[in-house]
Amino acid sequence: MKSELTVKAIENGTVIDHIQAENLYKIISIIGIEQIETEVFIGNNLDSKKYGKKAIIKIADKFPSMDDVNKIALIDPNAVINIIKDFKVVEKKQVVLPEKIKKFVKCINPKCITNHEDVETSFKVVKKDGKIGLKCYYCEKVTGQNNIEIIK
Amino acid sequence: MKNKSLISINDFSKEDYFNILNLAEEFRQNPNQKLLENHIVASLFFEPSTRTRLSFETAVQKLGGRVIGFSEASNSSTSKGESLKDTILTVSRYADLIVMRHPIEGSARHASEVSDKPIINAGDGSNQHPTQCLLDLYSIRKTQGTLENLNLFLVGDLKYGRTVHSLLMAMAQFNPVFNFVSPPSLRMPTEYKDHLEELGVKYYEHDDLNENINHADIIYVTRVQKERFSDPMDYEKVKNAYILKNKMLDNTKSNLKIMHPLPRVNEISTDVDKNEKAYYFDQAENGVYTRMAIMATMLGLK
């Protein structure tokens, strides 16, 4: 609860909570915070019993689509989305890994067509030994979870 | 399958394989079918591959079609900075079918998205070369009478060899036993071995060619390239361990066939060529019938 107070409460909007601190900046780039015109509050390196250090993002008056929310699962499958109305949590959503990922992740293979021509990336999400990988629709190489790089 | 493209062997089902192989057999028995008369096939080789190109162009000509194209990127508008997309969009207006070889991986998939004519991938970097795989399947079935329950030895560069990876993925569906023979630094990548384990397919790894080959139905040899070794000494140490010699074949099975995607350098000694178990030049010929079958299928002519 302490961290909730560290970062200003919002009346209506979305709170992305339980982000591992190290994942914060990747998540910021995935959800395109720079394009949001309403109030945004970000807290990082907050104390957390679960992770040691956690991060939180609060976005006023915006309710993202599940497609957007699920992108977060690629970076941090433990993140939780809270929908806030009148300062209260009205809905809690666990992020769910999507089956396909388009556009926003770069293919790790330097010889892939998506790194040479104007082609949007497209991946199938594959799981191996509890780890997530993204199999490129074009070059068929797998980009591992640790190598996920976000396209700006 | 009309107007479908052939991009990756993984897009094809067993049934698709058999349709192509059966048609290839039909073309072997009756090659004089002018199905491609009044058709133009574009042969776009953004990187040179003489063997694959000649095989395709032979297949087109046997079917009575005509070929346009180029044999290396310096002869194309790519050297002027044209995007692949624009090249494909333009050529789609000229030709009925496009065969392409390109060094960039995924290029053929991209081409198939922008073109309204079928694309046949004749190799995209180290990714896929599905027509090679289909001609290998044809050759295996032709010589063994079946694709099921075979003991396959894959020899040479198993780490970077696109050909052996595709062959593994395709043959894994037919309950084989695999034997991988390679230098320790060029072993079959884990992802492929994991795939076999998931399917319950048995495989064994060996450091050299020895009497184990007496159990083989197929020995598929690939070239161990010197460039793959960071230390030239390592290459010198291993290079002779992967040369197949005629005397090693004395106690092998009578149905054994030796295959190689070619070009060969020295990994199969020339004294093997006269052995009736040597099949690599027949395999190259099979490539023509297989490519005839693929083109006729993609154009919906058969």
Side-chain angles (χ1 to χ4, degrees), chain A residues 102 109-120 122 127-129 135-142, chain B residues 7-8 10-11 82-85 102-107 109-110 113 124-128 194 198:
Chain A
K102 280 184 190 282
N109 176 10
K111 285 188 73 190
C112 178
I113 185 81
T114 60
N115 290 317
H116 287 262
E117 295 219 357
D118 185 19
V119 182
E120 281 179 353
S122 179
K127 269 190 184 170
K128 182 80 202 169
D129 303 329
K135 185 170 185 186
C136 178
Y137 172 66
Y138 293 95
C139 73
E140 306 185 21
K141 301 282 184 294
V142 175
Chain B
I7 306 301
S8 167
N10 305 329
D11 299 343
E82 187 180 48
S83 69
L84 175 64
K85 181 180 177 183
H102 199 289
I104 298 297
E105 293 154 23
S107 52
R109 179 77 70 191
H110 176 52
E113 290 177 325
D124 59 331
S126 68
N127 183 32
Q128 286 279 333
D194 288 347
E198 275 165 34

Side-chain angles (χ1 to χ4, degrees), chain B residues 211-230:
Chain B
E211 59 278 4
N212 285 321
I213 64 169
N214 293 344
H215 304 289
D217 297 307
I218 294 287
I219 302 178
Y220 198 106
V221 185
T222 61
R223 194 150 53 98
V224 174
Q225 295 175 27
K226 206 173 179 172
E227 310 85 88
R228 298 297 188 197
F229 292 82
S230 46

